[in-house]
């Protein structure tokens, strides 16, 4: 794993900074043996759009500089939740994708470690996650997402110790390399609506059509795929499992010259 991390550091940083690259989450518990499901947030699980006018910086970051997530409020309006930002911030409309609560329940009840990996505006992501958690049915105390990866994450050594100084994860706006999770890559499944975030490990990836705010059944199909994966012995790697997924759930397709499994 450390060699994989070094190759990744060389690609994105340069030889002189190989030793500086760390992990974005703590190591997995040695007491648990589970598969890691890495889920994108925006246009995979939810759709978030600014309400009213905002400049480019506000739309990308979620609110003006200096605003904190603690000031956010939620207003439920039919199937849309309005996230009211702190004073002077930007309001956002949040719409859950159909099937999100069922998917989160499968992750919680199955032998999975859920990791949410987003490049969205960090100032409202925590509020979106709170709304997601509120949509879950409380069948178990386990949370659907053990960790959330954002560009503001702490950095961890392989032994789990936290790096004292803030780490520069700015390059994560352009990629989501699984090596940074410090997990068994053969047991990782990565789900995203964008191929550019999946190119590092296409054989462990599932492409889901982007959520545009209208009804679809893609998360229901993803939940069924996870049920099948949960019933598959742990000695079967995720890439091998993906080759057996029924074609009414996912098929192999070329995207940007790379062969991916795609939810239909």
């Amino acid at each position: 794993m450390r060699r994989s991390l070094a190759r990744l550091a060389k690609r994105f940083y340069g030889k002189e900074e190989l030793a500086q690259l760390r992990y974005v989450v703590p190591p997995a518990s040695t007491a648990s043996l589970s598969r890691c499901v890495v889920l994108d947030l925006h246009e995979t699980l939810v759709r978030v759009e600014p309400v009213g006018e905002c400049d480019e910086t506000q739309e990308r970051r979620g609110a003006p500089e200096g605003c904190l997530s603690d000031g956010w409020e939620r207003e439920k309006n039919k199937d849309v939740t309005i996230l009211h930002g702190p004073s002077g911030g930007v309001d956002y409309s949040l719409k859950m994708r159909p099937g999100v609560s069922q998917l989160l329940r499968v992750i919680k009840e199955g032998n999975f470690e859920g990791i949410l990996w987003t490049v969205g505006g960090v100032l409202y992501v925590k509020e979106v996650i709170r709304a997601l958690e509120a949509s879950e049915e409380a069948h178990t105390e386990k949370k659907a997402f053990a960790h959330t990866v954002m560009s503001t994450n702490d950095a961890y050594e392989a032994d789990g110790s936290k790096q004292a100084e803030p780490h520069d994860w700015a390059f994560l706006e352009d990629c989501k390399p699984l090596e940074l999770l410090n997990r068994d890559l053969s047991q990782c499944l990565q789900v995203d609506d964008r191929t550019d975030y999946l190119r590092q490990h296409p054989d462990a990836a599932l492409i889901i059509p982007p959520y545009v705010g209208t009804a679809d059944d893609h998360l229901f199909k993803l939940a069924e795929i996870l049920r099948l994966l949960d019933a598959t012995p742990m000695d079967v790697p995720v890439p091998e499992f993906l080759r057996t997924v029924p074609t009414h759930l996912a098929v192999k397709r070329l995207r940007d010259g790379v062969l991916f499994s795609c939810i239909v």
Side-chain angles (χ1 to χ4, degrees):
M1 176 66 75
R2 194 67 201 179
R3 287 195 297 271
S4 298
L5 201 61
R7 287 196 296 269
L8 186 72
K10 183 176 179 181
R11 176 179 177 186
F12 288 104
Y13 285 88
K15 292 181 180 180
E16 70 281 0
E17 294 176 334
L18 287 180
Q20 297 182 19
L21 197 56
R22 298 296 185 264
Y23 300 104
V24 291
V25 294
S29 170
T30 55
S32 63
L33 182 63
S34 58
R35 290 187 171 98
C36 182
V37 179
V38 184
L39 286 167
D40 174 51
L41 179 62
H42 296 283
E43 298 190 2
T44 295
L45 300 180
V46 301
R47 185 170 182 83
V48 180
E49 296 178 302
V51 177
E53 297 182 358
C54 63
D55 62 31
E56 182 181 353
T57 300
Q58 291 172 325
E59 184 171 352
R60 185 174 64 252
R61 295 298 181 190
E65 184 177 357
C67 291
L68 301 177
S69 179
D70 290 343
W72 289 83
E73 297 180 357
R74 290 197 300 266
E75 174 189 344
K76 187 70 175 177
N77 181 14
K78 294 184 179 179
D79 59 346
V80 175
T81 300
I82 304 299
L83 304 179
H84 295 290
S87 178
V90 179
D91 292 347
Y92 283 82
S93 68
L94 165 65
K95 193 170 186 179
M96 302 289 184
R97 192 171 199 163
V100 67
S101 60
Q102 290 87 342
L103 174 67
L104 298 184
R105 185 170 65 184
V106 169
I107 295 174
K108 289 169 63 175
E109 295 181 349
N111 188 27
F112 297 116
E113 178 192 28
I115 293 181
L116 190 67
W117 194 327
T118 178
V119 296
V122 297
L123 292 174
Y124 65 80
V125 163
K126 290 181 180 179
E127 190 59 36
V128 174
I129 294 172
R130 290 191 188 105
L132 275 174
E133 291 173 345
S135 74
E136 298 178 31
E137 298 179 25
H139 293 275
T140 172
E141 293 183 0
K142 173 186 171 184
K143 287 187 173 294
F145 300 116
H147 305 286
T148 300
V149 179
M150 298 185 289
S151 60
T152 56
N153 273 39
D154 292 316
Y156 296 87
E157 304 289 351
D159 62 2
S161 58
K162 188 184 297 185
Q163 187 171 294
E165 297 298 323
H167 198 77
D168 181 12
W169 298 115
F171 77 98
L172 292 184
E173 293 185 3
D174 301 312
C175 63
K176 296 180 180 180
L178 294 177
E179 288 87 350
L180 293 182
L181 298 178
N182 194 17
R183 299 296 190 267
D184 180 356
L185 296 182
S186 71
Q187 297 298 341
C188 288
L189 175 64
Q190 192 171 15
V191 183
D192 208 299
D193 64 290
R194 291 179 51 175
T195 58
D196 48 338
Y197 291 137
L198 302 173
R199 296 182 71 89
Q200 282 80 27
H201 299 281
D203 57 344
L206 262 176
I207 295 178
I208 188 168
Y211 179 47
V212 297
T214 56
D216 64 39
D217 63 351
H218 300 302
L219 287 188
F220 293 101
K221 291 180 177 179
L222 176 56
E224 182 59 30
I225 291 171
L226 291 186
R227 290 189 188 96
L228 294 174
L229 179 59
D230 197 30
T232 301
M234 285 294 297
D235 59 354
V236 177
V238 166
E240 183 177 332
F241 162 78
L242 287 176
R243 291 193 288 269
T244 69
V245 173
T247 55
H248 72 278
L249 298 174
V251 296
K252 292 286 187 179
R253 289 175 178 162
L254 275 176
R255 294 289 181 88
D256 302 324
V258 180
L259 190 63
F260 289 100
S261 293
C262 303
I263 297 176
V264 295

